[in-house]
Amino acid sequence: MVRLVGLSGVGKTRLVQALFDARIGSLPLPPSLAVYTNLLDNPDPQPTGLASDLIATRTRAILIVDNCPPDLHRRLSDLCAASGSTVSVLTVEYDVRDDQPEGTQVVTLDTSSPELIEKLIRRRFPHVSEVDARTIAEASGGNARIAIALAGTIERSESIAGFSDVDLFERLFWRERDRDHALLRAAKACALVYSFNGETLDGDEAELPRLCAFAGPLLEHRSRPSAENPCVASGAAVLSSRWISRAG
């Protein structure tokens, strides 16, 4: 049982892909054993059901579950760590808690160095100057997703040299949208926490209504952030099932 954790946007899913890529490193895992699913896709069958079927048929497999919440990881751990199991499990999420099930090896993927981010931007966005790539790398805090999103706002023959941190944030957040200061206030309230339940609106587990108190009237309607929301579209936030987490 392995659990890969880290901030959204640092490259966890890409690292998992690299484990099965014969072109990278040595001793790659056999691609034929990989069974991948992402909880955001509402898979059918669910991972626990699939794991049970694989074990029942004595099928050797490496089950990879992306955006896997801690409770599902625990159920998979109980199921696949049992004697006679033929399934190895690798789960991926932003989970930063320390209370992992016994027998789970936790691997934490940290942010990248500014030098690596700069190389990434120069390769993916050839029109971005060396100076701008360095500015993006420093502003991103080593988060590749934020760096790529910010680089995507730069047009050819344009430069962000001399931009302040506030200028860069606003460029990333608004991205040619009409400025809505109430929405910005809501984003600041959401950024007070690492992640929150953006779906449950009533009961003890309802977290979005509590954030409404900080954000003011914008969130009083208590709607779930969507992919069109500036925080999500810009890469500053990530939807994961019913959870919304900061990208950095």
Side-chain angles (χ1 to χ4, degrees):
M1 296 294 301
V2 177
R3 186 153 175 80
L4 177 60
V5 300
L7 292 172
S8 298
V10 297
K12 299 186 297 295
T13 302
R14 181 66 189 93
L15 176 59
V16 172
Q17 293 173 339
L19 295 176
F20 296 86
D21 193 335
R23 300 168 300 176
I24 301 175
S26 59
L27 300 177
L29 296 173
S32 59
L33 297 183
V35 180
Y36 174 87
T37 187
N38 189 328
L39 262 290
L40 294 183
D41 297 329
N42 297 315
D44 184 18
Q46 287 290 304
T48 49
L50 176 59
S52 297
D53 291 342
L54 291 170
I55 294 172
T57 58
R58 307 299 301 165
T59 302
R60 178 74 181 98
I62 301 174
L63 179 60
I64 303 141
V65 184
D66 211 341
N67 290 298
C68 178
D71 58 337
L72 176 56
H73 175 87
R74 289 187 178 86
R75 295 199 302 272
L76 288 170
S77 178
D78 293 340
L79 178 64
C80 298
S83 176
S85 172
T86 57
V87 177
S88 301
V89 176
L90 168 58
T91 65
V92 182
E93 211 209 16
Y94 60 82
D95 188 14
V96 294
R97 294 185 292 183
D98 296 325
D99 56 335
Q100 301 295 345
E102 184 177 353
T104 292
Q105 180 178 354
V106 179
V107 178
T108 302
L109 186 60
D110 206 346
T111 53
S112 302
S113 67
E115 293 77 15
L116 182 58
I117 294 294
E118 185 176 342
K119 290 180 180 178
L120 172 66
I121 296 304
R122 292 285 287 162
R123 175 173 295 184
R124 294 193 58 167
F125 301 89
H127 67 281
V128 173
S129 70
E130 183 177 347
V131 173
D132 285 345
R134 187 176 304 114
T135 299
I136 291 170
E138 293 173 353
S140 70
N143 189 296
R145 178 175 290 147
I146 291 178
I148 291 171
L150 185 54
T153 68
I154 301 177
E155 303 291 341
R156 294 186 181 278
S157 72
E158 185 183 16
S159 176
I160 58 172
F163 276 37
S164 67
D165 289 344
V166 173
D167 293 332
L168 293 172
F169 169 78
E170 291 185 347
R171 186 184 186 93
L172 176 64
F173 186 80
W174 296 118
R175 302 187 74 177
E176 300 181 355
R177 296 177 179 84
D178 293 335
R179 300 201 173 200
D180 184 337
H181 293 289
L183 183 62
L184 179 59
R185 187 168 64 250
K188 289 180 178 179
C190 294
L192 292 173
V193 295
Y194 182 79
S195 66
F196 62 91
N197 183 333
E199 188 172 88
T200 303
L201 303 180
D202 300 297
D204 294 338
E205 294 185 0
E207 298 174 345
L208 190 57
R210 299 175 187 176
L211 291 173
C212 292
F214 293 99
L218 175 70
L219 289 184
E220 287 183 355
H221 64 287
R222 300 178 183 179
S223 64
R224 183 175 188 266
S226 67
E228 289 73 33
N229 183 279
C231 298
V232 178
S234 66
V238 180
L239 295 179
S240 176
S241 184
R242 62 176 179 166
W243 297 92
I244 295 92
S245 65
R246 290 188 285 117

